Amino acid sequence: VIVEVIAVGTELLLGQIVNSNAADIGRRLAELGHSHYRQTVVGDNLERCAAAIAEAIERADAVIITGGLGPTQDDLTREAICAATGRAMVYSESYATHLADWWAARGREMPESNLRQAEFPEGAEMIPNAKGTAPGLRLLHGGATLFALPGVPAELQPMLDDFVIPELGGSGTVHSRLLRTWGESESKVADLLGDIYDDSANPTLAFLASGGEIKLRLTAAAESAAAARDLIAPVEEEIRRRLGSLVFGADSETVEQLLFDMLAERGWTIGTAESATGGRIAAALTAVPGASAVFRGSVVAYAADIKSSLLAVPAELIAEEAIVSVDTAIAMAEGAASALGVDVAIAVTGSAGPEPLGQPRGTMAIAVRTPHGTSSRTMRMPGDRERVLTYTTTAALHLARLAIAGDAAL
Amino acid sequence: VIVEVIAVGTELLLGQIVNSNAADIGRRLAELGHSHYRQTVVGDNLERCAAAIAEAIERADAVIITGGLGPTQDDLTREAICAATGRAMVYSESYATHLADWWAARGREMPESNLRQAEFPEGAEMIPNAKGTAPGLRLLHGGATLFALPGVPAELQPMLDDFVIPELGGSGTVHSRLLRTWGESESKVADLLGDIYDDSANPTLAFLASGGEIKLRLTAAAESAAAARDLIAPVEEEIRRRLGSLVFGADSETVEQLLFDMLAERGWTIGTAESATGGRIAAALTAVPGASAVFRGSVVAYAADIKSSLLAVPAELIAEEAIVSVDTAIAMAEGAASALGVDVAIAVTGSAGPEPLGQPRGTMAIAVRTPHGTSSRTMRMPGDRERVLTYTTTAALHLARLAIAGDAAL
C-alpha cells in the first residue's frame, strides 16, 4: 500500500516542535512493508492544508493526516478534508452525546466550542480516541483512504496501532518482536549484531535507543502470525546467544514490571532513598498500575541533613567530600530499608550538575539493599542534567533487578 | 520571501532519523520574517525528488533542499535538480581540483566516487562547505532561487547562516510572545478569546495544550523587533484583562521557576509529601537546575502506615474511607513541614486508578502548608493513570504558587 503522511500545524513550520509523529509513523509503515514516498508539513491554513490533502490523494492509496483536530478555531483539518474532497460538513448527534457524557463523567460542563469536534466530513467514520476528546476520522474517497488523527503523540499512537495499521493490512500479516537490553551502548550492540543487521530482510532488524536502554525490533511478514513467529525465532535465538544477559526482557516486559514480578514472587517490598534523582525512581515505580502491592514509599533526601534525620546516615558521610560516594549510598539504602520498612531499598546520591558536589558532573553512586546483602556501583553518566537523571533512573532499576536476582555480576 | 524546505533521504521516511533540519531552518525563517508554508520529505528516488522540486519552484520564491549531496550512488539531489529544471549536468574542473586538494591535505587518496561531487546542474554556483566534502549549490531558475545543502546538520548550519540567510535578506523580523495559563480547559480559554482569534492576523494567536496548562502564542511580523512587540502589546493586554489570574507567566517562566523565585524572595524552603503522585512533584521540582537552594526533600508515603510513621498522620485519617480526603492531605502537609524542616509543604493523596480507594478514580486531595496557614482542594482529574498523575502534578505546583502568593482564590 502506498501511504503518504501530512502533518498539520504552524508550530511545526515555525520549528517550535520537531515532527516526531512523522518519524514514528514512518517507522511503523517500514516495518509493515508499506511504500511511504512522501511526507508533507503544512500550517494551520485552510487553503494550503486542503491543497496538500488533494495532491496526496492523487498519489497515494492511503493518506494519514496528523494534527488539527482539536476544539479550537485554528484546528482546521476537518474543514480541509471537506474542501479537498468536495464534501459537506455534517453534525453527529451521537458523537455530541458522547462528548457531553465525557465531560459530565468528569463533573464538568462542556465548553460550547467542544461541539466542533462532533462535526465530520460527510461519509467519514469516527476513530475512537481513548486518551482525549478529539476523535479521529476515516474517509474513503476515490481510490484512497484518508485517516485523520490528533497530533498529540500519546493520543495518536494507540489510534494508529489499533485502527490504522490493521486497516492498512495487506494480505499477509506482520509480526514484531521487541528484545530489550541494558548495559551496553547502541554502537556496541550494533557491532555485535552487524552481520545479522546487514543480512536482515525478513525479519528486519531495527535498533531503538531510549532512556539508557537499547531495544531491538525484529519484524517479519508472512501468511500468518504463526509463520511470522517461525521466521523470527531463529534470529532471536542467535541474538540472545550473542548478547547473553544484556537481553533482560521482550515485548512489553519493562524493567519496572519485571522488578514487581520478582518482588511479588519473593513476597518482598521495595522503597527508595533518593538525592540527585529527586523522586524519579519512585515516580517510575509508581507509574505501574498495581504498584501498591510491592512499593511502600520513598525518602527524597536532597538536603544533606535530611539524609541524617530521616535515613540515619552518619555525619561523616554527609560531609561535602563524602556525599557522592558508595559508602553514603549504602548508608542511605540501609536507612531507607529501616525507615520505610522495606525488604529492598534503592539509593542514589550523585551530581547531575550544574554543581559538581566534589565529583565530576554525572557521577552517580547507586546502592541496592536486599535481604541477600547490600551491593553498590559508581557510574558516570553522559549528557546534560535531564539525560543524566534519566539514565541514572534506568540504571538504578536495572541494578535492583540484578541484585534481587542475586546476580554476581552486579 | 516565500520559502519551502525539501528534505531528501529515505532514512527520514523510514523514521530512522527525525527531520530536525526542517525545524532548525523553520525557526530561522520565522525569526527573519519569511513566509514558510510547506515542508516536504522525499526519499532517495530521482523521479519523486525531481517532482517535489518542480512543484516547490512553482509555489515559492526560494526552495531550500537538504540532503542527497554525498558521493554515493543514492545521493541524487544534483540529478533531481537537473531533471526538475531541464538542465544538463556539467563537470567542474576547478572543483575537482579543490576536492583532490582537500583529500591530499588529509594525507589520503580521494575515492573515485568523490568526483561525482564535482558535477553541477548547468548555471549553478557552488556554496562552499567548510565542514565536509559535499559542496552546496545555488541556482536561479524562473523566478525562484534553489539552494541545495548537505543533510549533516553540522555542515548545513554554517552554510545556512553564512550564505543562504544573507541571500534571502528580508528587512523585517518576527517576534513571538508565549502566555501561560492554568485553571481552565483549552476549549474554555478558546471560548473566552474567540473573537480575538477570529480577528487575529498580525499578531496571530495560537493555542497549545500541555500537561494541564494551556499556552497562548502571539506572533507578529514587523520592520523591527520593537515594532513587532508594539503590535503584540495591546492584544496581550486584552487577553490578560479577559483571562485575569488564569495567566500566570510569559515566555520561559515555568511554574517551577516561578515557585522557586517566590520562595527565594521570601527565604522559604519547600518539600513534598506524596501518595498517589509517587514522587512526581519532587521530581518536577528537582528537574530545575539550582533546585537545592530551596528544595529540601520529600516523603513518598505510598503505604498507609508510612503516612503515620514518617508524617505523623493520625490513625483515623489513614483508614480506607478517609485516606483520600483533604483532612489527610492537610495532615500530610503539616507532617512534611515538620519532618523535612520546610516552610512550604505540598501534599497529595488520591486515587489514580485502577484501584478506587473509596473515591472515584481520578479524585485527588491536595493541601499546601505555608507560613500563612494550610489550604486544600479536592480535584477530579480526567483520563488514564498517566494523565491523572501528570495533571495532578501540574495542579499541585500551581496551588502551591497561589498559596505562597497568599491568593484568597485557592
Side-chain angles (χ1 to χ4, degrees):
Chain A
V1 179
I2 298 176
V3 186
E4 288 203 16
V5 175
I6 298 174
V8 181
T10 301
E11 67 277 15
L12 291 163
L13 293 175
L14 294 175
Q16 285 162 342
I17 57 172
V18 174
N19 194 3
S20 60
N21 281 337
D24 289 340
I25 295 171
R27 210 175 302 122
R28 299 288 285 133
L29 294 175
E31 288 167 2
L32 295 162
H34 295 301
S35 299
H36 175 213
Y37 296 143
R38 194 192 277 234
Q39 295 172 347
T40 306
V41 179
V42 286
D44 301 315
N45 172 284
L46 183 56
E47 188 189 336
R48 288 189 286 268
C49 186
I53 293 170
E55 293 162 24
I57 289 173
E58 291 299 310
R59 288 185 298 252
D61 304 315
V63 179
I64 302 174
I65 306 166
T66 65
L69 293 178
T72 59
Q73 298 87 330
D74 59 351
D75 291 302
L76 292 165
T77 297
R78 285 174 293 257
E79 285 81 352
I81 292 173
C82 288
T85 60
R87 284 166 194 256
M89 189 77 91
V90 295
Y91 180 80
S92 160
E93 201 65 59
S94 76
Y95 199 69
T97 307
H98 175 89
L99 283 172
D101 290 349
W102 194 93
W103 286 86
R106 281 149 188 87
R108 296 163 70 183
E109 203 182 330
M110 178 168 69
E112 188 68 18
S113 61
N114 262 71
L115 282 178
R116 275 174 59 82
Q117 296 181 320
E119 293 181 343
F120 289 93
E122 194 165 16
E125 286 166 54
M126 194 219 299
I127 302 178
N129 178 351
K131 306 267 176 139
T133 58
L137 40 104
R138 168 183 173 279
L139 176 65
L140 296 176
H141 183 81
T145 309
L146 276 173
F147 299 95
L149 303 176
V152 178
E155 299 183 19
L156 178 147
Q157 275 158 14
M159 296 166 82
L160 183 73
D161 284 341
D162 298 341
F163 195 95
V164 179
I165 294 293
E167 166 117 5
L168 292 176
S171 60
T173 183
V174 163
H175 184 76
S176 277
R177 174 82 165 160
L178 194 69
L179 297 179
R180 295 167 176 265
T181 80
W182 179 79
E184 283 293 353
S185 68
E186 182 173 7
S187 47
K188 174 72 179 179
V189 172
D191 280 354
L192 291 169
L193 305 179
D195 56 318
I196 297 181
Y197 178 83
D198 291 339
D199 297 344
S200 78
N202 193 19
T204 57
L205 171 62
F207 298 96
L208 314 160
S210 70
E213 294 178 354
I214 309 301
K215 302 185 179 84
L216 311 173
R217 189 164 40 225
L218 289 165
T219 304
E223 283 302 294
S224 67
R229 275 193 292 268
D230 287 346
L231 290 170
I232 289 170
V235 183
E236 173 176 346
E237 196 181 339
E238 176 61 18
I239 290 173
R240 285 182 178 269
R241 195 187 63 73
R242 295 198 197 175
L243 300 185
S245 64
L246 292 178
V247 178
F248 69 87
D251 296 332
S252 62
E253 293 169 342
T254 62
V255 62
E256 293 90 340
Q257 193 58 62
L258 270 178
L259 260 184
F260 283 6
D261 293 346
M262 291 167 80
L263 290 164
E265 208 170 274
R266 290 162 176 78
W268 290 353
T269 56
I270 191 166
T272 75
E274 306 185 44
S275 183
T277 47
R280 282 178 188 238
I281 304 172
L285 290 170
T286 56
V288 180
S292 57
V294 294
F295 178 79
R296 286 180 46 78
S298 175
V299 172
V300 179
Y302 218 61
D305 62 282
I306 294 181
K307 294 182 181 71
S308 291
S309 62
L310 292 184
L311 296 171
V313 175
E316 66 272 19
L317 292 180
I318 62 168
E320 171 105 22
E321 64 279 10
I323 203 149
V324 177
S325 69
V326 289
D327 289 345
T328 300
I330 290 169
M332 288 170 68
E334 287 168 356
S338 159
L340 300 168
V342 291
D343 303 296
V344 176
I346 305 175
V348 174
T349 174
S351 162
E355 320 85 357
L357 289 177
Q359 293 283 342
R361 214 187 86 149
T363 306
M364 292 284 158
I366 305 175
V368 182
R369 187 268 187 203
T370 75
H372 301 315
T374 302
S375 47
S376 62
R377 194 191 280 190
T378 301
M379 302 182 83
R380 182 83 173 280
M381 300 297 175
D384 62 8
R385 182 181 175 91
E386 181 57 32
R387 186 154 164 182
V388 164
L389 293 175
T390 301
Y391 279 39
T392 303
T393 300
T394 302
L397 296 172
H398 280 285
L399 292 176
R401 168 176 68 80
L402 296 171
I404 293 168
D407 195 311
L410 177 60
Chain B
V1 180
I2 298 176
V3 186
E4 288 203 15
V5 175
I6 299 174
V8 181
T10 301
E11 68 279 14
L12 291 162
L13 293 175
L14 294 177
Q16 286 163 342
I17 57 172
V18 174
N19 194 2
S20 60
N21 281 339
D24 290 340
I25 295 172
R27 212 175 300 121
R28 299 285 286 129
L29 294 175
E31 286 164 4
L32 295 161
H34 296 302
S35 298
H36 176 211
Y37 296 143
R38 194 192 275 236
Q39 295 170 347
T40 306
V41 178
V42 286
D44 301 315
N45 172 283
L46 181 56
E47 187 190 335
R48 289 189 285 269
C49 186
I53 293 169
E55 293 162 25
I57 289 173
E58 291 298 310
R59 287 185 297 253
D61 304 315
V63 180
I64 302 174
I65 307 166
T66 65
L69 293 178
T72 60
Q73 295 88 332
D74 59 355
D75 291 304
L76 294 163
T77 296
R78 284 175 294 260
E79 284 81 354
I81 293 173
C82 288
T85 61
R87 286 166 192 255
M89 190 76 91
V90 295
Y91 182 80
S92 161
E93 200 65 61
S94 77
Y95 199 70
T97 308
H98 174 89
L99 282 171
D101 290 350
W102 193 95
W103 286 88
R106 283 153 186 82
R108 297 162 67 186
E109 204 182 329
M110 179 169 68
E112 187 69 20
S113 62
N114 264 67
L115 281 177
R116 275 173 59 82
Q117 296 180 320
E119 293 180 344
F120 288 93
E122 194 166 19
E125 287 165 54
M126 196 219 300
I127 302 178
N129 178 352
K131 308 267 177 136
T133 59
L137 38 104
R138 170 183 172 279
L139 176 66
L140 297 175
H141 183 81
T145 309
L146 277 173
F147 300 96
L149 303 174
V152 179
E155 299 181 21
L156 178 147
Q157 275 156 16
M159 296 166 82
L160 184 72
D161 283 341
D162 298 342
F163 195 94
V164 179
I165 294 293
E167 167 118 2
L168 291 176
S171 56
T173 184
V174 163
H175 184 75
S176 277
R177 174 82 166 160
L178 195 70
L179 297 178
R180 296 167 176 264
T181 81
W182 178 79
E184 283 294 353
S185 66
E186 180 176 7
S187 42
K188 174 72 178 177
V189 173
D191 281 354
L192 292 170
L193 304 179
D195 58 318
I196 296 181
Y197 177 83
D198 291 339
D199 297 343
S200 77
N202 193 21
T204 58
L205 171 62
F207 300 95
L208 312 160
S210 71
E213 293 178 354
I214 309 301
K215 301 184 179 86
L216 310 174
R217 190 172 44 233
L218 290 165
T219 305
E223 282 300 295
S224 67
R229 275 192 294 267
D230 287 346
L231 289 169
I232 289 170
V235 184
E236 173 174 347
E237 198 183 334
E238 176 60 18
I239 290 173
R240 285 181 178 271
R241 196 188 62 74
R242 294 199 197 174
L243 300 185
S245 63
L246 293 179
V247 178
F248 69 87
D251 296 332
S252 63
E253 292 169 342
T254 62
V255 62
E256 293 90 339
Q257 194 58 61
L258 270 177
L259 261 183
F260 282 7
D261 293 347
M262 293 167 78
L263 290 164
E265 210 170 90
R266 289 161 175 79
W268 292 351
T269 56
I270 192 167
T272 76
E274 305 186 44
S275 182
T277 46
R280 283 177 187 238
I281 305 171
L285 290 169
T286 56
V288 180
S292 56
V294 294
F295 177 80
R296 285 180 47 77
S298 175
V299 172
V300 179
Y302 217 63
D305 63 283
I306 294 179
K307 294 183 180 73
S308 290
S309 61
L310 292 185
L311 296 171
V313 175
E316 65 273 19
L317 292 180
I318 62 168
E320 171 105 22
E321 63 280 9
I323 203 146
V324 178
S325 70
V326 290
D327 289 345
T328 300
I330 290 169
M332 287 169 68
E334 287 169 357
S338 158
L340 300 168
V342 292
D343 302 297
V344 176
I346 305 175
V348 174
T349 174
S351 162
E355 320 85 356
L357 287 177
Q359 291 285 343
R361 216 186 85 148
T363 306
M364 293 283 159
I366 305 176
V368 182
R369 188 266 185 203
T370 75
H372 300 315
T374 303
S375 47
S376 61
R377 195 191 280 189
T378 301
M379 301 183 81
R380 181 87 171 281
M381 300 297 175
D384 62 8
R385 181 182 177 90
E386 180 59 32
R387 188 152 166 181
V388 164
L389 293 175
T390 302
Y391 279 38
T392 303
T393 300
T394 302
L397 296 172
H398 281 285
L399 292 176
R401 169 177 67 79
L402 295 171
I404 292 167
D407 194 311
L410 178 61

